[in-house]
Amino acid sequence: MTRVRKYHLALIGVAALIVVVSLVRVLTGFDDLTSSGTVGAALILAVPIALAGLGGLWAERAGVVNIGLEGMMVLGTWFAGWAGYQWGPWAALAAGLIGGALGGLLHAIATVTFGVDHIISGVAINLLGPGITRFLSEVLYKEGTPAAEAGAGITSSPAVSGDTPTISLPLLSSGPDLLGKLESTHWFLVADVAGVLRGLTHQMNLLVVLAVLLLPLTFFVLWHTAFGLRLRSAGENPWAAESLGVNVYRIKYVAVVLSGAFAGLGGVFLVFVSDKYVEGQTQGRGFIGLAAMIFGNWRPGGLAAGSALFGYANGLQLRSAQTVTTFFLFGAVLLLAYLVLQVHRLTAPDRPAELAAPGVRQYVVMAGAVVGAAVLFWLWLVIDELPNDFVFITPHVLTLLVLLIASQRLRMPKADGVSYRRGEQH
């Protein structure tokens, strides 16, 4: 019953969020808030973040901190670009996975076998990834090589040969564009739902579908299989797992190598979007994926929400810089909704025992919500357009704020980052 209730609450939360966004769209007149173009851009921007975060989830659930996701993603982009221009997109997919997995293997050797501090090893991989790829580019893409004649430079590969596969989901995006017509009506809620559905289903890159499927697959494997139980036990108490016959070293190796492969897959997606490898194209997405995983409390569902949040904020500021000011109104509405929920919880006859006698902290939080809502509403009224510098950093600031709020309820695996040695319990 508990699992069903949580599932229902998640659906209700998503529905309420769409209603709030639709209300903000009507009040501001900014139709890009829920347009299919914005949703499609958000999806493209969220996928590499989600894949990197998925890599962090697998490693840290096994007790290995992996801040080297950025370097592993860089390796995935380079190998995908190198193989893709020669043999096509499927070779790019395989090479990117292998490139990222090699970075994961290096991290596993350093941390699991030799006991190197996980943070130091991750920083080293983040430095090695761009260095190795630059060296390989200078060797294989220098002037006079076949790659250079095909359009490569020191900082980019030739274009991937062949078209990357795209699909549209049946019924929703095939045949007459009914969703597009509904979106163009700009009706309250109807147009918003149509825009979201059209953006999520029309002409999707095949890797988008794969990334979306990997999230529930990860949940099933880690929480509903014997292998997943062993992997999570290695991240909670590896010595207890060892006493039950689990090969903790092997579990950690598998988890970290898969972690690198997921980050490499995120790099492949970036290559598919830009049609080639370009130096620096990851732009810190590995770190943002790690932040999304922490925001999601080391669970796939929360990771998906965190990735979607950053992707949406980034996609919105790319589509329309003026629309970013609506975040002020959106934040004010959310704070007011939070305030209403808190008042309802405090006055409900069946309220939890800890709320029977509200303390100073509850009242301070509620007062802060009132002040925050008032300030955000005032900013929305007086600011017509943010300077470009502020628009550019909006997604990053939003991520930091969300992480700050979410940090109150986080629970990382107990043995995450702990150096494990067989038979030497700490």
Side-chain angles (χ1 to χ4, degrees), residues 103-302:
L105 178 62
L106 180 61
H107 188 49
I109 291 173
T111 57
V112 179
T113 300
F114 292 104
V116 174
D117 183 271
H118 298 190
I119 303 299
I120 293 174
S121 176
V123 170
I125 290 174
N126 287 333
L127 295 174
L128 280 173
I132 290 172
T133 54
R134 184 58 183 262
F135 171 76
L136 292 173
S137 293
E138 290 182 352
V139 171
L140 298 176
Y141 295 160
K142 64 183 179 182
E143 189 175 349
T145 61
E149 295 175 2
I154 297 301
T155 59
S156 65
S157 70
V160 175
S161 60
D163 296 327
T164 56
T166 60
I167 63 171
S168 290
L169 295 187
L171 300 179
L172 291 177
S173 291
S174 59
D177 192 7
L178 297 177
L179 292 176
K181 293 177 181 178
L182 287 174
E183 181 187 355
S184 63
T185 64
H186 305 303
W187 293 339
F188 173 71
L189 200 58
V190 174
D192 303 286
V193 173
V196 171
L197 289 176
R198 189 172 186 271
L200 292 176
T201 59
H202 186 69
Q203 289 294 303
M204 292 189 300
N205 188 300
L206 192 59
L207 277 187
V208 172
V209 180
L210 178 60
V212 171
L213 292 177
L214 282 173
L215 290 166
L217 181 61
T218 291
F219 176 75
F220 174 78
V221 171
L222 293 185
W223 275 270
H224 293 281
T225 66
F227 169 76
L229 179 61
R230 295 187 187 101
L231 188 146
R232 288 186 294 117
S233 68
E236 295 291 340
N237 192 330
W239 294 279
E242 170 196 314
S243 68
L244 296 174
V246 176
N247 189 329
V248 176
Y249 286 123
R250 183 170 62 192
I251 286 288
K252 287 179 178 287
Y253 259 89
V254 170
V256 179
V257 171
L258 283 175
S259 171
F262 283 127
L265 186 60
V268 175
F269 182 81
L270 293 174
V271 170
F272 281 5
V273 169
S274 61
D275 204 35
K276 62 180 179 179
Y277 158 77
V278 179
E279 188 175 79
Q281 69 191 134
T282 56
Q283 295 182 341
R285 286 180 175 88
F287 298 112
I288 299 169
L290 194 64
M293 178 209 65
I294 296 171
F295 163 78
N297 211 6
W298 289 265
R299 297 182 73 90

Side-chain angles (χ1 to χ4, degrees), residues 311-370:
Y312 178 73
N314 206 2
L316 192 61
Q317 62 102 358
L318 290 176
R319 292 274 300 178
S320 174
Q322 289 182 335
T323 315
V324 173
T325 57
T326 59
F327 280 125
F328 295 132
L329 180 59
F330 185 61
V333 173
L334 287 180
L335 285 175
L336 288 176
Y338 169 78
L339 185 64
V340 171
L341 288 174
Q342 285 295 103
V343 171
H344 174 72
R345 291 181 67 197
L346 290 174
T347 57
D350 57 343
R351 60 186 180 274
E354 65 270 15
L355 297 179
V360 176
R361 184 176 181 275
Q362 278 84 11
Y363 289 116
V364 170
V365 171
M366 292 170 65
V370 173

Side-chain angles (χ1 to χ4, degrees), residues 56-67:
L57 175 67
W58 276 78
E60 300 209 8
R61 276 294 175 181
V64 179
V65 175
N66 189 0
I67 67 167

